[in-house]
Amino acid sequence: MKPFTYERAETVAQAAAASSRPGARLIAGGTNLLDLMKLEIETPTHLVDIGRLPLKDIAETADGGLRIGSQVANSDLAADDRVRRAYPLLAQALLAGASGQLRNRATTGGNLLQRTRCPYFYDTARPCNKRLPGSGCSALDGFNRMHAILGTSDACIAVHPSDMAVAMTALDARVETVAADGTTRSLGIPSLLRLPGDRPDLDHDLQPGEVITAVTLPPAPPGRQIYRKVRDRASYAFALVSVAAIVDAPAGRPAALRLALGGVAPRPWRATTAERLAAADGRPRNWQDVAEAALTGARGHGRNDFKLPLARRTVAAVLNEAAGTGRA
Amino acid sequence: MNQPCPEGGPSRRAVLQSSAAIGVLAATGLGPPVARAATDTGLPMPVVAPVSITVNGRARALQVDTRATLLDTLRETLGLTGTKKGCDHGQCGACTVLIDGRRANACLTLAVMHDGDEVTTIEGLGTPENLHPMQAAFIKHDGFQCGYCTPGQICSAVGMLAEHRAGWPSAATADLTAAAELSGAEIQERMSGNLCRCSAYPNIVSAIREGAEA
C-alpha cells in the first residue's frame, strides 16, 4: 500500500473541501477501497474518513418515504422495521449481499460507489481499460462468465456488483449530494452511475469533493415486491443475475411493473421496455413476453451467454410469483 | 487445546522475530531497513498517526502507520496473535473481531479509523482457565480441525448472536416482519462470512446452537 495522510472529517463541508483536492479519497466503511489500496489499484495520497459524520439516521419524509443517511450501515438498513415492512425488496437485497461482518461496516453511500469485481480489474498484470485507460479489455475474450450482457461497450464489460443499488433503482431512489462549494443536488441511480462507453475508468458522475449525504426513497408503490438473486453458491457470492420487481397486477386491469436487473450490466439495469409492455393492456397477460422484453439489446460475450436465458427465466419466474399467475 | 507456553520460555513467534531481525542486520550491517529503503528509492515516507483504542478492556495509545490495518496492529503491534490473517481481503472471516460489540473483518479496516473505539478479540472473550461459553461449546462439539479459522468463527458467532437477539433478519428469514428462530439454516446463512477450510461446518453449527443457549 502506498503511504497516505489521514484526516477524520467532523463536518460534511470539511469532507467535501478535503476530498476535492487531487489525490484525496473519501473512506467510510473501507471494505472495498482498502481492498483495492492493498493491491495498489487505488493509490490515494490522502484519506478523508467520513465514518463519524452525523449521517446515520433513517427518517420518514413528509411524503411518506424514507431518507437514509449515507453513513447508515447496510446491516442497520436491512434491520430497520420500516424498511422491512414497506420496502422488503430492499431488505432482501441488502441481506443477499456480502457477509454479516461486511454489512456491519459497509455504508449506503459506499455501497453505491463500490467498484467492479471484474477479475481483470483486480489483476494488475493484465490490461484493463477501467484500471488503466487505453490498455485494453482482457474480459472481452477472457473468462467473462461473470460479466455484463447489457449496457457494455467495446472498452469494458464489467458489472456493477451491488445488490442494494438494484433494489433502490426499482424503487426510484434519489441520491442526495453536497459539493465543496455547498451546492446540493439529487439524482437517480441511473444518472449517478455511468455506462462505460469509451471512458470505463469513470464509474460515476460525481465531481471531486461531491459527497453523498443521503438516499431518499419515495413511498413504496402498491404491489408485491420480490428480490431474487441467482449465484454460484447459496450465500456470500456476487450475483450471476438478480431481479428486483414490484408487481401490481390486479385482475382485469393493466399491470404496473417496476423491474431492475443486477449482475448483468455496468449499473443496475432498469428494464423500461418490459415495464411499458406490462402496462400495455394486453390480455391474457404473458409474463414470458415481458421477460423477453427485459433483455432487449442483450448480448453475450461467450462464457456469459448463459446469462441471457438465465435472466429471462429468472424474470419470468419472479413476475409469475409476484402476480400469483404461475409456479413460483 | 490452548496449551499455555511454559512460564518464561521463549514463544515460537519471539524466536522467529529475533532470527529474522538478525538476518536483516547481518545482510545490511545497517540500521532500520524500512527507513533506508524509503530514502534511497525516493518513495514517499510512511505517515505515522496517533490512535487510542481500547482493546479487550485496556486503553492503548499507539502511534501507527496510517496504512496499518486493525488486524496487523492487533497482531504485530499489540502481540494479540489470536486474531488470524487468512486472505487479508475480507473473504475468509479468520480476522473477525468485535468493534464496539459488532463483528467486523479486522483486515478491511485501518487502525487509525478506530480512535476511541472498543475492540474485543478472542483473547478478550475468555482465557484457557475461564472460557467464554462459545469457546467451551466449540471444544465440546469439536467445532474445528486445524483451528486456524476458530478465533474468527467464535468472535463472529458471538457478534451474530447479538444481532439475532436484536431481532435482525437474514437472507434465510422467510418472514421479514417477524423475529426469526435460530434454526440451522439461519446459523449457516448468518455465519457465511466465516470459511473453514477443514469443513468443520456441521460441528461449528452444533457448537453455535449450544453457545446460543448459554
Side-chain angles (χ1 to χ4, degrees):
Chain A
M1 213 186 293
K2 304 279 192 200
F4 53 85
T5 49
Y6 169 91
E7 76 177 281
R8 184 186 278 187
E10 305 294 337
T11 64
V12 174
Q14 181 194 343
S19 66
S20 64
R21 295 188 203 113
R25 287 294 303 267
L26 297 172
I27 188 165
T31 54
N32 185 220
L33 181 59
L34 271 176
D35 193 24
L36 294 167
M37 285 168 64
K38 288 180 182 188
L39 300 165
E40 299 190 354
I41 294 164
E42 295 271 8
T43 53
T45 53
H46 184 63
L47 281 188
V48 183
D49 185 352
I50 56 171
R52 312 284 172 123
L53 291 182
L55 301 171
K56 298 192 177 185
D57 285 341
I58 306 172
E60 283 152 56
T61 59
D63 68 352
L66 276 187
R67 186 171 185 274
I68 303 155
S70 69
Q71 297 308 298
V72 172
N74 285 179
S75 51
D76 287 315
L77 187 55
D80 186 271
D81 279 335
R82 294 158 295 185
V83 172
R84 288 157 71 175
R85 275 198 313 272
Y87 307 95
L89 172 77
L90 176 58
Q92 288 168 359
L94 285 159
L95 295 168
S99 66
Q101 290 96 313
L102 290 168
R103 290 192 294 271
N104 278 341
R105 299 292 307 164
T107 63
T108 307
N111 186 308
L112 291 172
L113 298 185
Q114 66 178 307
R115 309 209 67 187
T116 187
R117 298 316 197 278
C118 171
Y120 301 106
F121 177 68
Y122 269 77
D123 184 352
T124 52
R126 301 292 299 270
C128 169
N129 286 322
K130 189 180 275 297
R131 176 169 34 76
L132 190 64
S135 61
C137 174
S138 302
L140 276 172
D141 297 313
F143 290 94
N144 53 32
R145 70 181 290 276
M146 297 300 291
H147 288 74
I149 53 174
L150 285 159
T152 59
S153 73
D154 291 342
C156 184
I157 59 170
V159 298
H160 191 270
S162 173
D163 291 291
M164 181 197 82
V166 180
M168 285 181 171
T169 298
L171 290 165
D172 280 335
R174 303 291 297 178
V175 180
E176 296 178 18
T177 69
V178 178
D181 64 2
T183 318
T184 61
R185 63 173 177 152
S186 155
L187 56 173
I189 291 172
S191 303
L192 171 73
L193 300 176
R194 295 181 72 260
L195 294 180
D198 57 3
R199 288 299 304 274
D201 54 314
L202 303 175
D203 288 356
H204 57 75
D205 268 335
L206 296 183
Q207 299 302 308
E210 193 171 2
V211 179
I212 297 178
T213 51
V215 173
T216 303
L217 302 179
R224 175 98 189 274
Q225 300 181 20
I226 294 179
Y227 186 79
R228 180 159 302 160
K229 182 175 180 178
V230 182
R231 43 185 161 174
D232 283 333
R233 47 175 202 249
S235 184
Y236 200 18
F238 290 99
L240 294 167
V241 165
S242 72
V243 175
I246 307 169
V247 184
D248 187 28
R253 278 197 287 122
L257 170 65
R258 307 266 202 101
L259 183 63
L261 308 187
V264 293
R267 67 180 177 213
W269 194 257
R270 188 75 183 257
T272 47
T273 308
E275 292 179 0
R276 280 195 299 272
L277 183 64
D281 189 12
R283 281 186 295 266
R285 191 168 284 129
N286 187 339
W287 293 119
Q288 199 61 46
D289 289 349
V290 175
E292 196 77 46
L295 275 294
T296 304
R299 183 166 72 93
H301 302 275
R303 293 172 195 259
N304 69 348
D305 290 349
F306 74 96
K307 283 195 177 186
L308 280 87
L310 181 64
R312 199 180 298 123
R313 289 171 191 164
T314 308
V315 170
V318 165
L319 296 182
N320 273 312
E321 182 184 339
T325 50
R327 289 170 300 149
Chain B
M1 75 165 265
N2 285 335
Q3 290 290 328
C5 283
E7 193 97 6
S11 71
R12 188 172 67 100
R13 167 158 301 270
V15 171
L16 287 173
Q17 277 174 342
S18 58
S19 50
I22 289 163
V24 167
L25 290 174
T28 63
L30 286 168
V34 174
R36 220 179 106 77
T39 25
D40 282 0
T41 60
L43 290 171
M45 292 289 286
V47 179
V48 173
V51 63
S52 296
I53 311 177
T54 299
V55 181
N56 298 332
R58 185 173 158 200
R60 313 294 292 253
L62 306 168
Q63 295 286 330
V64 295
D65 188 317
T66 53
R67 295 171 294 180
T69 60
L70 179 61
L71 172 62
D72 286 344
T73 303
L74 290 170
R75 290 180 54 85
E76 308 298 333
T77 307
L78 297 177
L80 294 168
T81 53
T83 307
K84 301 304 183 206
K85 182 184 279 195
C87 68
D88 207 26
H89 287 279
Q91 297 172 2
C92 76
C95 67
T96 303
V97 297
L98 302 171
I99 302 173
D100 292 336
R102 287 189 172 201
R103 57 183 171 154
N105 302 105
C107 76
L108 280 190
T109 192
L110 297 169
V112 74
M113 293 163 70
H114 293 286
D115 193 57
D117 285 351
E118 291 193 14
V119 174
T120 304
T121 69
I122 190 73
E123 292 95 338
L125 284 181
T127 63
E129 297 75 32
N130 185 20
L131 293 171
H132 185 280
M134 191 62 77
Q135 291 173 312
F138 267 71
I139 293 169
K140 179 178 167 189
H141 290 270
D142 202 15
F144 48 84
Q145 196 177 112
C146 80
Y148 197 80
C149 73
T150 312
Q153 297 276 2
I154 291 173
C155 286
S156 184
V158 170
M160 180 276 284
L161 290 182
E163 294 166 5
H164 178 255
R165 278 195 299 273
W168 289 14
S170 86
T173 308
D175 180 2
L176 284 176
T177 61
E181 288 273 326
L182 199 61
S183 62
E186 282 280 358
I187 293 174
Q188 286 178 5
E189 166 57 30
R190 289 167 192 257
M191 292 294 294
S192 71
N194 290 84
L195 306 186
C196 171
R197 202 225 64 146
C198 306
S199 206
Y201 297 113
N203 294 0
I204 290 171
V205 172
S206 306
I208 294 173
R209 232 189 248 280
E210 174 155 329
E213 287 156 14

